[in-house]
Amino acid sequence: MEKISSKELLNKILAGSAMGIVVGLIPSAIFGEIFKALGGFSEIFVTLGNITTALQFTVPVLVGMFIALQFKLSPIETASVIGATFVGSGAAKLVEGAWVLKGTGDLINIMIVASIAVLIIKWYNNRIANLAIVVTPIIGAVIPGLVGVLTLPYISTITAFLGSVISNFTSLQPLVMMVLIAMCFALIIVTPLSTVAIAYAITLAGLGSGAANVGIVATLFTLVYGSSKVNNKGTTFALFFAGPKMMMPNYLQNPILTLPILINAAITGFVGFIFKIQGTTASAGFGITGLAGPINAYNFMGSSVLVNVGILVIQYLVVPLGVAMLTHTLFTKIGLYDDSLFEVKASK
C-alpha cells in the first residue's frame, strides 16, 4: 500500500473539496439572481436559471472527482470515488419510492466518504488488474458509500447542534445578536459546514439573516485582500463568485486567520445593526455571492434608491474591505502571519 500521511490526506481532501465547490456553485452564483430577474421577460432565462440551479446538485460528484485527481487515481478508481461521494452525500434521498435530489449534500460526510474510498483504493492497489473493473467499484464505491449512508445521520447532528446554538442568539439584544451571528457565520463559511443548511435549519430571517450575510462578506474580503497579495488576478476574482469556501484549506491549515476574520465580522456586524440590514432564510448563507445578500437587503429598505444603494455599498464593500486592509497590514507588519498563508496552490 502506498503510504499517505494524515497531513497529506487532509490537505488533498480539502483542496479537492474546495475546487469541487467552486466549479459546482460558480454558474449559479454569477447568474442565479440575474436569470431570476430576467425570467419575466423570456422563457429562455427561466430555462437558464433552472440549468444553473441544477448544476449545484453536481457538487458531491465534482468534489469526488477533484479529490480523486489530487491522488492521481485511474479512471475506474476516480469513477468509484465519485460514486461513493454522491451516495454518501445524502443529496439523493428515497422519498415514497422515488429518488429526490435535495441540495448539495453534507460536505463533512462527503469528505469522510472520499477519505475512506481513497484509502481503500490505495490499500487494494489494483492487485488483480484483470478484475479491476469489477473489484474497484465494489470496494471503492459500494463499501465507502455504505459507510457514508450509516454515518450521515450522525454527522448531520453536528450541523443541527450548531444551528441550535446560533438560534439561541436570536433571543438576545439585537446588537449583540447581530455581532455574534456575523462572527459565527464568518467562521462557518470557511469550514466544511454549510451556512445555507444552518440558515434553513434554524429558519434564520430578518436581522439574523442580514447578520449572517455581512459576516460571510467580512470573511470574503479578508481573504480577497490577502489573496490579492500572492495569487493571480483570476484566482482572487473567482473568490467573489465561488465564495470563501474556495480558501477553506488555507483557513483550516492556518487557524491564525480566525483573528482578522472575527475582527472584520464583529465590526461589519455592528455596522449592519446600525443600517438594520435584513434578509430572508434563502439568502442568509450566501453573503455577496450572486448578489443574494445585497438584493434581499435592498428589498427590506424603505429609503430612496440612491440612499439604499449607498448604504449597500458602504455595508457590503467599504466597511469589510477597509477593515480587511487595516487588519492585514497590521498583522503582517507585526509578524503575526505573512502573505503566504493566502496562497492558493491551484492558482499556480
Side-chain angles (χ1 to χ4, degrees):
M1 173 183 176
E2 179 184 340
K3 290 186 178 180
I4 304 175
S5 67
S6 56
K7 182 178 180 180
E8 180 187 6
L9 178 67
L10 178 61
N11 289 347
K12 289 185 176 181
I13 292 293
L14 290 173
S17 300
M19 291 304 297
I21 293 168
V22 170
V23 175
L25 297 183
I26 270 187
S28 179
I30 296 177
F31 297 111
E33 291 296 328
I34 296 175
F35 289 151
K36 188 184 297 183
L38 295 174
F41 297 97
S42 174
E43 189 67 26
I44 187 64
F45 293 114
V46 176
T47 301
L48 287 170
N50 292 335
I51 291 173
T52 57
T53 298
L55 287 174
Q56 297 181 68
F57 297 130
T58 65
V59 167
V61 171
L62 293 172
V63 168
M65 181 192 74
F66 279 109
I67 287 176
L69 290 176
Q70 288 284 324
F71 291 94
K72 297 181 173 57
L73 300 184
S74 70
I76 293 177
E77 293 169 340
T78 298
S80 299
V81 174
I82 290 173
T85 53
F86 178 72
V87 172
S89 70
K93 295 186 177 181
L94 190 61
V95 180
E96 298 180 355
W99 285 98
V100 178
L101 286 176
K102 184 179 180 181
T104 59
D106 190 299
L107 185 56
I108 294 179
N109 213 51
I110 291 173
M111 294 166 66
I112 291 174
V113 170
S115 300
I116 294 172
V118 168
L119 289 174
I120 290 176
I121 288 172
K122 288 292 185 181
W123 167 80
Y124 176 63
N125 197 28
N126 198 23
R127 298 183 188 186
I128 309 176
N130 293 335
L131 294 178
I133 197 170
V134 176
V135 177
T136 304
I138 295 174
I139 66 171
V142 177
I143 294 176
L146 173 62
V147 174
V149 170
L150 296 176
T151 59
L152 183 61
Y154 302 99
I155 298 300
S156 297
T157 59
I158 296 176
T159 301
F161 172 74
L162 187 56
S164 66
V165 172
I166 296 174
S167 181
N168 291 331
F169 291 161
T170 59
S171 62
L172 301 175
Q173 197 271 345
L175 172 59
V176 177
M177 176 202 73
M178 287 202 74
V179 171
L180 288 177
I181 290 180
M183 293 170 71
C184 283
F185 272 77
L187 293 182
I188 293 171
I189 194 63
V190 279
T191 71
L193 293 171
S194 169
T195 52
V196 176
I198 291 175
Y200 271 101
I202 62 179
T203 319
L204 198 61
L207 290 175
S209 173
N213 262 299
V214 299
I216 293 170
V217 173
T219 302
L220 173 64
F221 277 100
T222 299
L223 299 177
V224 162
Y225 188 72
S227 173
S228 68
K229 301 294 183 180
V230 290
N231 296 314
N232 60 53
K233 293 179 181 179
T235 297
T236 300
F237 187 65
L239 276 166
F240 287 102
F241 304 108
K245 266 191 168 51
M246 179 178 169
M247 293 185 68
M248 178 174 64
N250 300 68
Y251 171 74
L252 295 179
Q253 294 167 26
N254 304 284
I256 189 62
L257 294 178
T258 299
L259 185 57
I261 287 174
L262 286 183
I263 292 174
N264 201 337
I267 296 174
T268 307
F270 175 76
V271 175
F273 168 76
I274 294 175
F275 288 137
K276 297 295 184 289
I277 299 297
Q278 299 184 61
T280 64
T281 302
S283 69
F286 288 97
I288 202 174
T289 303
L291 296 180
I295 289 174
N296 280 274
Y298 181 87
N299 293 333
F300 285 93
M301 294 177 170
S303 300
S304 66
V305 173
L306 187 60
V307 172
N308 291 343
V309 172
I311 289 174
L312 291 176
V313 171
I314 293 172
Q315 178 69 72
Y316 285 91
L317 175 62
V318 176
V319 173
L321 178 58
V323 177
M325 294 171 66
L326 289 173
T327 55
H328 185 90
T329 302
L330 174 62
F331 293 148
T332 52
K333 279 192 174 181
I334 65 176
L336 193 61
Y337 56 75
D338 56 53
D339 294 337
S340 64
L341 270 62
F342 297 87
E343 183 178 1
V344 178
K345 304 300 182 183
S347 69
K348 296 294 185 180

